[in-house]
Amino acid sequence: MTPAPRLASSIDDPPGDGTVIDRLVAANRTYAAGFVDPGMGARPVLRVAVVACMDARIDLHAALGLELGDCHTVRNAGGVVTDDTIRSLTISQRALGTRSVILIHHTGCGLQTLTEEFRHELEMEVGQRPAWAVEAFRDVDQDVRQSMRRVRTSPFLPHTDDVRGFVFDVTTGLLREIDPGI
């Protein structure tokens, strides 16, 4: 399988190259031209679900030595465990056989610079308060502990004995495990 060409990461690309989405679709055509169906099902081979921040600096598969088909990946702002994360993990466990959950937050997370005031600012701008919480935090270790607790105490998740949380250092690429505490 031929890797897709690397897309420019600058928003200052010369006009005429189309939109970023146009370039992504073109890269997909190149990818699909050499694509071979791997012949695998939706059940992750390693029976693990990874919950991580959506930060573009984190290449989860490379950082964890994962291959296509090894895991389910759930990403959101901060990698926090929200109701929608629980929804995805519940489907992952109950319908698709995962048994382990690894939570990965990271250093220098943008959620450490926001507050719930962000919701108020949105409400003032658009005239409607978002139904979701920002889930901002100051202490990344404590937020990992909170996310572990949310997974471990969810009544919807039957497999909560192998839940571990980590902080990924964006400057070294290393994971640091967080003691769940109480």
Side-chain angles (χ1 to χ4, degrees):
M1 184 166 25
T2 306
R6 177 80 175 121
L7 298 173
S9 60
S10 171
I11 60 171
D12 299 322
D13 291 331
D17 288 341
T19 68
V20 170
I21 294 173
D22 290 336
R23 293 193 340 252
L24 294 172
V25 171
N28 173 258
R29 286 190 198 105
T30 302
Y31 169 79
F35 183 78
V36 176
D37 180 356
M40 61 179 65
R43 291 178 176 267
V45 173
L46 298 179
R47 297 171 58 161
V48 64
V50 180
V51 177
C53 185
M54 65 186 191
D55 192 293
R57 297 172 288 181
I58 305 170
D59 182 347
L60 282 176
H61 276 75
L64 300 174
L66 295 168
E67 301 291 331
L68 182 67
D70 281 349
C71 70
H72 282 159
T73 305
V74 179
R75 294 184 84 159
N76 65 30
V80 296
V81 175
T82 62
D83 286 346
D84 194 59
T85 305
I86 294 295
R87 171 190 161 273
S88 293
L89 290 174
T90 301
I91 292 166
S92 178
Q93 287 190 359
R94 291 184 177 267
L96 296 165
T98 60
R99 298 291 181 263
S100 301
V101 178
I102 181 172
L103 304 167
I104 302 177
H105 288 38
H106 66 91
T107 58
C109 184
L111 279 188
Q112 290 177 288
T113 65
L114 294 175
T115 66
E116 291 300 319
E117 181 67 17
F118 182 76
R119 291 176 72 225
H120 176 70
E121 293 166 1
L122 283 172
E123 181 180 14
M124 294 295 96
E125 180 182 328
V126 303
Q128 179 178 338
R129 177 175 290 167
W132 39 263
V134 175
E135 296 280 352
F137 57 88
R138 294 283 178 239
D139 182 336
V140 67
D141 291 19
Q142 185 56 31
D143 202 61
V144 172
R145 284 186 197 96
Q146 177 175 294
S147 288
M148 283 190 279
R149 275 192 303 275
R150 286 179 177 174
V151 170
R152 288 186 173 140
T153 61
S154 173
F156 306 110
L157 299 174
H159 306 288
T160 59
D161 56 324
D162 191 17
V163 176
R164 293 170 62 189
F166 298 82
V167 174
F168 177 85
D169 187 314
V170 297
T171 61
T172 67
L174 290 172
L175 290 174
R176 177 174 53 83
E177 188 158 10
I178 302 302
D179 184 329
I182 297 172

